[in-house]
Amino acid sequence: MYRFTKAAVNVTSQAVRQVRHASSVRQDFHSKYGNMLLAGGALFCTSVWSYVLTQTGLTWNLSPVGKVMPKEWRE
């Protein structure tokens, strides 16, 4: 049982060290590239939606008021 406990503590301490290292790497990545990625994503999203809205020829049918005409009643 002692060996199992010692191995579990060792694995736990290694996991803590890895998490601390990963969090410092993540902070460095975000401080270097965070604003650039945000701006690039916003530019990409804006360009795709502007293409969809202007070039694809979709009919959006926002409101049917005034567009739907009733048919004449036939007896």
Side-chain angles (χ1 to χ4, degrees):
M1 189 63 144
Y2 175 73
R3 288 182 181 175
F4 176 75
T5 306
K6 186 177 177 182
V9 169
N10 189 20
V11 168
T12 305
S13 64
Q14 286 178 354
V16 169
R17 275 187 246 119
Q18 287 176 351
V19 167
R20 285 184 183 161
H21 177 69
S23 65
S24 67
V25 169
R26 185 180 306 129
Q27 289 171 352
D28 292 339
F29 178 81
H30 284 291
S31 64
K32 285 182 182 178
Y33 305 112
N35 291 334
M36 187 170 34
L37 282 175
L38 183 65
L43 179 67
F44 177 76
C45 183
T46 304
S47 62
V48 167
W49 273 108
S50 63
Y51 174 78
V52 167
L53 292 174
T54 59
Q55 301 296 318
T56 58
L58 290 175
T59 304
W60 293 95
N61 295 328
L62 297 177
S63 174
V65 176
K67 296 177 183 176
V68 177
M69 300 297 292
K71 293 182 179 179
E72 292 292 327
W73 183 259
R74 291 184 285 171
E75 291 187 33

